[in-house]
Amino acid sequence: MSLKMYEKTDCFPVSETAKVVESPNYVGDVESGGHVASPAQARGFARAGVFGTKTMMAIIGAVAVIGVGLGFGLGYGLNGGKEDLVSVWKQPDAPRRALSLESFDDCSDLFSQFGMEQGRLINSQAMKPDFGYWYPTYEDDYCNFCNCSKEVPGWYYAVDDLAVAEATDGGASDTGGAGTQAKSSTEGGVEDYSQTNNQVEEVDEADMVKTDGEYVYVLPRNRHELIIAKAYPFTAVEVISRTNLTKFNMDPREMVIDENTLLIIGSARLKNEDVNLYLSMTSMQIWDISVKTQGGPKMVKTIETEGWYVSARLINSYAYVVIHSYPYFYWGFRSNDKKPGPKASRSLLSSVAVGGGSVMHRSAPLFRELTPQKDANTEPVQPIVGCNQITYVSGLDRFNGYVTVMSIGTGASNRGSHKYKVHAGSGYEVYASDQHIYIAATNWNYFGADQGSTDLPDEAAGIWTGVVQFELKEEGELEYKRVFTVPGSIINQFAMDEHDGMFRIASTWGQMWASPPTSVSAVTIYDATTGEKQGEVKGMAPGERIYSCRFMGKKAHIVTFRQVDPLFVLDLSNPQDPKIDGELKIPGFSEYLHPVDEAGQYLIGLGRDADEDGNVKGVKLSLFDVSDPKQPQEQSTQIIGDRGSYTEASYEHKAFLYHRESGILAFPVEERLLTEQQKATNARWATGHLNFVGTIIYDVNTNSNSGFTERGRISHVDPSWYEANTASKEEHNWWRSPPYTRRIYRQTYMKSNAAGGNQEVLFTFSDRQVQVHDLSNMGLLKAQNLTLPQCYDL
């Protein structure tokens, strides 16, 4: 089979004589419904890159062959226009070009290297907030609060005058214990509580739920609200304030808290009414929460930066926010006719010209700063930096996006101050230590040789992950240091780590499902200060790929999978000579690894069970004894449900709660069970009926062979829902699911020091409720509604 590789002008033919249209009346392609194409759409995903580009065929091949949803860009080059190429898996030992940091000379240099046409202008005064947030109405949930005698609305719209529902007690379901009502003293307070499950201690990650032990702060996924609730006494948990966040059109995502400063990060959309142009912005709102009761939280300012939010960290009273953006491309036309001309007359442009007002060149991510007194309809946007302040890595092909890293002050003395760096490229995985931020993305260009030839072109062929390192300086300053490159792709942020001045990264490359498979994995170590490569462990798990990683001090734990689950224990104490200490092969695989004890002798694995042929079954919980690294053991396992069961915590580590001092483990689960008939027929792809949706709580005991003891289960779903929707377990009701608003997505542990004795409780959060359970008997202490649906009189 041969694949024709197109030059960039072949993909989207451009007329040699196409002229710049200064005031087009038409923007968008009729065939796409007038949609203004991003560069990924306009170029058919032909180019993407942390620092460079890749061909569209490389993306398609990577997705089809690898089967990994990590089509991230660190493009290292095109194929030079060669035809009749086939994919040849020959991973070079090093990139074929020297890489060095540069800055663009000016905007002409930037436009040239991006492959854009200069001269496109945008009206900076015409950008206005635009709402585009609709939320589904779940009938089962809606009818618990609203009159359902008439039609139930399918969707509701977020508007700034939406009535804020008053706090009410909720009708909760308790499926976890004996149902006794525990008691809590009003004396004393909270002496211990869990926080966000952060990858690195002292580096706080943004999340939807936060607590300081006295209050809990919640951003419901179905409302534009900040909810603050009093956490103690446990039997009297109550919402004390609800703050509408729709000013400046922000859809909240996550937050960080630094004493009395709360930074909410979300998305916003701006519209240029002159040309029907939309901009996707990351919105960062800074709030003063020194007064937490109703009307108390006060907005300090809002910062809007063009692009999509990736991740954020709070380090030493500075929040570091990573944003990825594309310079938008638009179809322009050679005349003012509203109808599109011949395809050959269309020109791929970097922005669009509009008449009147203040205009500027589209050269960098756009930015604006707002205060509550400013009018969002008139406040202009502007490039966040000048062209000559944008960095890139030379030795790579053209770029198609930007990575913006912002530092925002959150302390009493620096609140609202902000600084930023813009780098030409992309980034999708973020790791941070207390000294550096690392931003990674992957190039999938493995089309590297002519058919029947082992020669590679000059471009850096193969699968490569590039990691940009920024040093965190005083007063929130950021300094670009270097780029690390490793062969292959990484699974997530846990594939990266910094320890004792060394940067460690685990990666996989090759074809896992080829015959024979060619995939292989490695751990590579660099000096984080000099950038010099120190050592590597190569050749791990041939024919498999990495599913989870956990670096713990001088050790690394790597789980790979194809049919069985090898757990590798690596000794990284000598960076120049790292080695595999031990290996354990068991069925299934772990998608998330978590240390149990500070010494790192035990490890929890959460993932999937599988049979001897690699067919995935239920959720698997494992306790690994790695005290003897040469002979790791699986001390205990728990299998939850059958095929179709899953847990959000396997891919979202913030949904995983392990409190080391108490030994409490909790995470949300959707449990499905196969019928006896399904088991008897051994239906490979059969999905079980829904049995439970909620949080399962375990005691973890490393001194017991049982390892895990289930303490109880908590669900926010009304028991009547299960009765109505799972009455016939013989039906294949995989599509039946309880209301999304009732799914638990976070848990928090708290311990009080009341006069009558210590009391341990578990807070569970869904979009609709917070529930508090006594962990001594799983009795329900309090169920408090966080939100209510908007009722409509249809």
Side-chain angles (χ1 to χ4, degrees):
M1 177 183 70
S2 64
L3 298 174
K4 178 176 175 64
M5 309 301 289
Y6 291 95
E7 294 282 352
K8 52 185 174 292
T9 53
D10 291 328
C11 296
F12 294 91
V14 178
S15 171
E16 295 293 335
T17 60
K19 304 294 184 182
V20 171
V21 182
E22 295 301 327
S23 299
N25 294 318
Y26 179 90
V27 177
D29 190 342
V30 169
E31 295 175 356
S32 62
H35 175 66
V36 179
S38 70
Q41 295 162 325
R43 295 184 179 230
F45 290 96
R47 295 183 178 278
V50 168
F51 316 97
T53 66
K54 58 183 178 288
T55 65
M56 181 178 182
M57 297 307 298
I59 299 177
I60 297 173
V63 174
V65 177
I66 301 291
V68 180
L70 297 173
F72 306 144
L74 170 69
Y76 280 89
L78 294 172
N79 54 57
K82 293 185 178 182
E83 297 185 4
D84 298 322
L85 300 183
V86 296
S87 60
V88 176
W89 281 101
K90 181 176 174 62
Q91 180 74 31
D93 293 331
R96 296 301 181 94
R97 295 175 178 175
L99 309 179
S100 62
L101 178 70
E102 305 286 348
S103 296
F104 295 107
D105 295 334
D106 49 33
C107 291
S108 296
D109 183 26
L110 182 147
F111 280 118
S112 174
Q113 296 209 44
F114 265 87
M116 300 188 297
E117 292 190 26
Q118 193 173 2
R120 304 310 350 154
L121 306 173
I122 188 170
N123 188 335
S124 63
Q125 300 289 344
M127 304 307 299
K128 299 180 180 180
D130 179 78
F131 277 99
Y133 307 112
W134 291 81
Y135 296 99
T137 298
Y138 298 92
E139 182 173 352
D140 296 323
D141 180 56
Y142 181 87
C143 294
N144 287 336
F145 302 94
C146 305
N147 181 6
C148 286
S149 61
K150 298 182 180 180
E151 180 182 357
V152 176
W155 296 80
Y156 67 88
Y157 196 49
V159 294
D160 55 6
D161 59 351
L162 184 66
V164 177
E166 294 297 325
T168 60
D169 285 346
S173 67
D174 172 25
T175 62
T180 49
Q181 288 288 91
K183 295 181 179 181
S184 175
S185 171
T186 58
E187 301 176 3
V190 175
E191 71 172 24
D192 190 17
Y193 59 92
S194 64
Q195 301 186 57
T196 299
N197 181 21
N198 299 312
Q199 181 180 4
V200 179
E201 291 186 13
E202 307 303 325
V203 177
D204 190 32
E205 300 184 32
D207 199 8
M208 296 178 287
V209 175
K210 292 286 184 178
T211 183
D212 55 14
E214 185 175 1
Y215 301 93
V216 291
Y217 308 83
V218 184
L219 295 175
R221 296 174 297 180
N222 65 331
R223 298 292 279 236
H224 292 60
E225 293 177 0
L226 165 66
I227 297 174
I228 302 178
K230 186 74 173 174
Y232 189 83
F234 299 139
T235 54
V237 170
E238 63 174 339
V239 173
I240 60 172
S241 69
R242 301 167 182 271
T243 304
N244 194 306
L245 300 177
T246 55
K247 185 176 180 63
F248 303 143
N249 180 36
M250 186 180 76
D251 183 26
R253 289 271 307 278
E254 295 184 318
M255 61 184 158
V256 293
I257 297 176
D258 186 1
E259 296 185 351
N260 288 325
T261 300
L262 187 147
L263 173 66
I264 302 175
I265 309 163
S267 60
R269 196 166 72 160
L270 301 183
K271 177 181 179 181
N272 188 312
E273 294 183 340
D274 291 346
V275 292
N276 198 30
L277 163 67
Y278 296 89
L279 293 179
S280 294
M281 310 289 283
T282 293
S283 179
M284 294 152 280
Q285 291 190 355
I286 303 160
W287 290 78
D288 182 340
I289 55 171
S290 53
V291 178
K292 299 173 174 61
T293 52
Q294 189 66 38
K298 301 297 183 184
M299 181 193 297
V300 177
K301 69 170 61 173
T302 293
I303 301 169
E304 294 179 340
T305 301
E306 185 179 6
W308 293 269
Y309 168 62
V310 178
S311 190
R313 303 289 190 275
L314 178 65
I315 306 170
N316 297 327
S317 290
Y318 283 95
Y320 297 90
V321 183
V322 180
I323 301 166
H324 176 232
S325 61
Y326 294 106
Y328 278 76
F329 292 82
Y330 309 97
W331 291 117
F333 300 96
R334 299 177 60 187
S335 72
N336 289 333
D337 195 317
K338 293 184 178 181
K339 296 181 180 180
K343 189 171 185 179
S345 72
R346 303 182 189 179
S347 178
L348 196 58
L349 306 175
S350 59
S351 61
V352 64
V354 296
S358 174
V359 296
M360 64 186 175
H361 289 287
R362 206 47 211 289
S363 57
L366 299 178
F367 159 90
R368 69 177 182 174
E369 184 176 334
L370 302 165
T371 61
Q373 295 75 32
K374 290 186 178 180
D375 185 352
N377 293 318
T378 60
E379 193 66 22
V381 293
Q382 59 186 353
I384 192 169
V385 295
C387 295
N388 60 357
Q389 295 175 282
I390 300 175
T391 57
Y392 68 95
V393 175
S394 65
L396 303 177
D397 211 340
R398 291 173 178 165
F399 325 97
N400 85 327
Y402 299 109
V403 174
T404 302
V405 185
M406 298 195 67
S407 69
I408 301 175
T410 57
S413 62
N414 65 359
R415 179 189 288 167
S417 64
H418 51 85
K419 298 172 183 177
Y420 27 76
K421 291 291 184 183
V422 179
H423 188 77
S426 301
Y428 297 92
E429 294 295 343
V430 177
Y431 168 81
S433 68
D434 60 354
Q435 300 180 37
H436 298 100
I437 286 180
Y438 300 84
I439 305 172
T442 301
N443 154 62
W444 296 95
N445 179 19
Y446 55 86
F447 289 91
D450 292 323
Q451 188 172 5
S453 170
T454 59
D455 295 332
L456 291 171
D458 290 337
E459 288 79 9
I463 300 178
W464 288 92
T465 291
V467 185
V468 183
Q469 181 196 47
F470 290 92
E471 184 177 357
L472 309 182
K473 312 288 282 188
E474 293 183 359
E475 298 182 353
E477 291 286 352
L478 293 153
E479 181 180 343
Y480 174 94
K481 301 301 293 186
R482 58 188 53 86
V483 57
F484 299 100
T485 57
V486 293
S489 62
I490 65 173
I491 187 67
N492 53 32
Q493 68 185 63
F494 288 92
M496 298 181 283
D497 180 77
E498 182 183 304
H499 178 74
D500 284 348
M502 296 293 157
F503 174 63
R504 298 93 66 91
I505 182 169
S507 59
T508 297
W509 65 93
Q511 295 174 317
M512 184 173 73
W513 300 110
S515 182
T518 60
S519 58
V520 69
S521 298
V523 171
T524 309
I525 303 175
Y526 289 93
D527 188 307
T529 302
T530 66
E532 295 294 324
K533 184 176 179 179
Q534 301 298 300
E536 61 184 344
V537 177
K538 299 176 66 176
M540 288 195 306
E544 302 179 353
R545 77 165 175 89
I546 292 174
Y547 270 74
S548 58
C549 310
R550 195 74 191 219
F551 291 92
M552 295 162 55
K554 296 180 180 180
K555 299 288 184 182
H557 303 86
I558 311 291
V559 170
T560 62
F561 177 73
R562 189 171 188 268
Q563 288 183 307
V564 294
D565 174 0
L567 169 67
F568 293 93
V569 181
L570 279 63
D571 180 1
L572 309 181
S573 57
N574 183 355
Q576 290 78 32
D577 186 27
K579 56 188 177 182
I580 297 176
D581 257 357
E583 177 183 349
L584 172 67
K585 290 193 174 185
I586 51 177
F589 56 91
S590 297
E591 296 170 291
Y592 175 69
L593 297 173
H594 192 91
V596 174
D597 57 321
E598 192 170 354
Q601 295 187 331
Y602 292 90
L603 196 66
I604 295 173
L606 182 63
R608 306 298 293 273
D609 188 23
D611 60 24
E612 61 275 9
D613 295 322
N615 298 318
V616 174
K617 300 194 290 186
V619 173
K620 182 179 182 181
L621 183 64
S622 300
L623 178 63
F624 296 107
D625 181 348
V626 292
S627 56
D628 181 357
K630 297 187 182 300
Q631 294 184 326
Q633 302 292 324
E634 187 178 43
Q635 179 173 317
S636 176
T637 63
Q638 287 280 316
I639 306 301
I640 304 169
D642 297 316
R643 191 177 299 112
S645 303
Y646 79 95
T647 170
E648 180 184 354
S650 65
Y651 57 86
E652 172 53 272
H653 64 280
K654 299 169 193 174
F656 183 97
L657 167 65
Y658 175 67
H659 188 259
R660 181 174 294 168
E661 290 72 20
S662 65
I664 292 294
L665 169 66
F667 52 90
V669 170
E670 178 175 301
E671 182 185 48
R672 292 181 177 271
L673 301 177
L674 295 174
T675 65
E676 293 303 320
Q677 180 181 0
Q678 288 173 322
K679 293 179 181 179
T681 57
N682 195 26
R684 180 178 179 182
W685 303 112
T687 300
H689 65 269
L690 190 62
N691 186 64
F692 172 77
V693 175
T695 287
I696 303 182
I697 303 97
Y698 292 94
D699 290 297
V700 180
N701 186 354
T702 59
N703 296 319
S704 170
N705 289 332
S706 60
F708 302 107
T709 302
E710 184 174 320
R711 182 177 285 226
R713 299 186 173 201
I714 299 170
S715 178
H716 290 194
V717 180
D718 193 294
S720 62
W721 186 93
Y722 292 100
E723 297 172 4
N725 290 274
T726 61
S728 175
K729 293 182 171 35
E730 296 302 318
E731 296 181 11
H732 297 280
N733 58 353
W734 57 265
W735 62 88
R736 292 178 179 172
S737 184
Y740 183 74
T741 51
R742 294 284 185 169
R743 288 179 174 270
I744 297 173
Y745 59 90
R746 294 293 186 270
Q747 307 86 192
T748 297
Y749 166 93
M750 288 193 187
K751 179 181 178 181
S752 70
N753 57 358
N758 292 337
Q759 184 178 32
E760 295 178 295
V761 302
L762 188 72
F763 284 67
T764 53
F765 299 88
S766 64
D767 288 327
R768 187 64 75 218
Q769 284 189 337
V770 57
Q771 292 186 16
V772 187
H773 285 78
D774 189 331
L775 286 170
S776 66
N777 57 17
M778 296 309 300
L780 177 65
L781 294 172
K782 178 71 173 182
Q784 173 68 58
N785 283 330
L786 295 175
T787 65
L788 296 177
Q790 180 71 9
C791 297
Y792 295 86
D793 185 16
L794 301 177

